[in-house]
Amino acid sequence: MKKFTYQYPVKVCFGDGIAKTALAAELEKYGNNVLLAYGGGSIKKVGIYDEIMEVLKAAGKNVTEFSGIMSNPTYAKVQSGAALARENEIDFILAVGGGSVIDCCKIVSAQAKLSEDIWNFEYGKGGQPKEFIPMGAVVTAFGTGAEMNNGAVITNEEKKQKSPLWGAFYDFAVLDVGYTMTMPMKQVISGAFDSLSHSMETYMGSPREINYSDEINEATQRNIIRNIRATLKNPDDRQARSELIWAAAMAENGMLKLGKVTDFQCHMLEHQLGAYTDCNHGQGLAVLHPSLYRHMMPEANKQFARLAVEVWGISTDGKTEAELANAFIDALAAFIKEIELPTTLTDMGIDDTDLEAIAKTTIRTGGCVKKFTDEELLSVLKECV
Ligand code: NZQ
Ligand code: ZN
C-alpha cells in the first residue's frame, strides 16, 4: 500500500425519516444568513422544500434562495451563486439535491471567499482554496457520493471543459432514504451505476496487487449490483435503496482509495462527453465502460480477472487470466443491458460530430494502467456509437 494520512471531516447523519431532526440539530451551530441551494424544482414538487423551510424558519434563519442549479452545473452558475453569497453576507450554505447541487455549492463556498477567479487560481496557478463558507448537504438524489468529498465537477462552457475543481468539504451530510423515494427510476439506476463505476475506477488504480481497500471495494461492488437488482424488482424496497445510498457514500468517502492511486480514466472521458453533449453522467459511463475496458487489456487482465471471480462470481474452471478478464467485461456489459441503461451513444441521442474533440481534450490519469493516445480514445468513442 502507498503511504497515506487519513482524516475525515464530514459528519454523516443517516437514516429513514431523520432529515428534519438532524437538520434542526446541525443548524444551531451556524450564523443566521443561510443560502438555500437547490435544483430545477423537484424538491418543491415532492414537499421537501416545505419541510426544509419549516426547519429553517423554526431555527430563526434568514433564507436567501439559490435555485435552478442544473444537472452538470456550469461555471457561470457557480459565479452567480458566489455573487449571491457575497451580497447577502451568507454564513452557511445548505445544499439540497443530488450531485449537481452539491458540487456547485462546494465551489460557490470557495469562490465567495476568494478575490480571484477560481478556475484560473486552480488550473492556472495550481492553487488550492483555503477559506470557505461552511456548508451542509441534504441528499435527495444519490449515486455520486459528492456529499462525501471536496471535489466538484463543473462545466466551463466557454472553455468546453467539464473538469474537477477543489472546494470545501461539507460539515455534515444528511442521508435520508425518505427524501429519495421520488427520484425517477432512471436516475436511481444511472446514479447507482455511477457508484459502481467509482468503485471500479478506484479498484483499477495502482499499485496493482490487491490490498485491504480493494477487498472492501469488492464487497461494495457486489452490494451495489445486488441492490440495483432489488430496487428494480421492487422500487419501494427501502432497505435496498438505503444500502445503495451508503454504498455511494462509501465509494467516495476516501476509504476505498486509501493506499492507492485511483484510475478514473473512464470518468475523465465521460466528463468531456458531458462537456460537449450535456448528457447524463451515469448513462455516459454505462456506454463507455465496456469499450474502454476492452482497450485496457491485456495490461489490466490481472485485476479484471479477479473482479470476474470476486464480484461477478465467475468460475475459474479451466480459464486463463485473459479469458477471465474477458468474462468480466462480458458480465459488466450484460448487466448494463439487463438494468436497461443505454449501451450506445446513439441510444443517448449523441452522434459522432464531436468525438475527435472529446478524445483530444480528455484528461489522462496517472493511476490508469494504460496511457491512452488521442487516437485510441477516439477508437473507444467510435466503437460506442
Ligand atoms: O433539478 P431538480 O429539479 O432537483 O431534479 C433533479 C435532476 O433532474 C432530480 N432530483 C433530485 N432529487 C430528486 C429528483 N427528482 C425527484 N425526486 C428527488 N428526490 O434528479 C435529477 C438529477 O440530479 P443531479 O444532481 O444532476 O444528478 P446526480 O446526483 O447524478 O449528479 C450528477 C453530477 O454530479 C457529478 C456529475 O459529473 C454531474 O455533474 N459528479 C460528481 C462527483 C463528485 N463530486 O464526487 C462524482 C461523480 O463522478 C460525478 O462526476
Ligand atoms: Zn461518477
Side-chain angles (χ1 to χ4, degrees), residues 112-239:
K113 295 278 189 183
L114 191 72
S115 52
E116 57 187 300
D117 178 86
I118 193 165
W119 195 285
N120 254 352
F121 176 70
E122 293 199 15
Y123 280 103
K125 299 184 182 168
Q128 284 252 358
K130 298 260 183 314
E131 261 198 280
F132 307 103
I133 298 175
M135 305 182 302
V138 177
V139 174
T140 69
F142 60 86
T144 63
E147 68 281 5
M148 307 305 280
N149 61 43
N150 67 334
V153 190
I154 302 297
T155 301
N156 190 320
E157 290 175 303
E158 261 173 46
K159 296 188 191 305
K160 276 264 180 220
Q161 209 51 61
K162 185 178 178 191
S163 299
L165 283 172
W166 299 106
F169 277 99
Y170 280 85
D171 283 9
F172 66 87
V174 176
L175 304 177
D176 180 341
V177 65
Y179 272 17
T180 71
M181 296 308 289
T182 52
M183 282 171 76
M185 188 48 80
K186 272 202 161 138
Q187 180 64 33
V188 171
I189 301 306
S190 66
F193 187 81
D194 185 24
S195 313
L196 180 64
S197 168
H198 294 162
S199 308
M200 293 192 296
E201 297 242 57
T202 300
Y203 191 92
M204 292 309 300
S206 67
R208 321 246 170 242
E209 83 270 7
I210 302 302
N211 66 26
Y212 177 53
S213 305
D214 295 322
E215 290 193 64
I216 305 174
N217 189 328
E218 288 164 358
T220 307
Q221 293 184 48
R222 286 194 298 270
N223 183 284
I224 295 168
I225 294 161
R226 186 178 75 240
N227 284 306
I228 288 179
R229 288 185 169 132
T231 304
L232 275 170
K233 202 165 166 201
N234 175 12
D236 297 326
D237 185 340
R238 293 170 101 91
Q239 171 68 21

Side-chain angles (χ1 to χ4, degrees), residues 59-80:
K61 306 295 182 187
N62 308 317
V63 178
T64 302
E65 297 198 25
F66 174 39
S67 63
I69 300 172
M70 63 294 277
S71 286
N72 304 323
T74 64
Y75 193 54
K77 193 68 184 172
V78 166
Q79 292 305 332
S80 72

Side-chain angles (χ1 to χ4, degrees), residues 27 43 283 367:
L27 282 175
I43 66 161
Q283 291 184 3

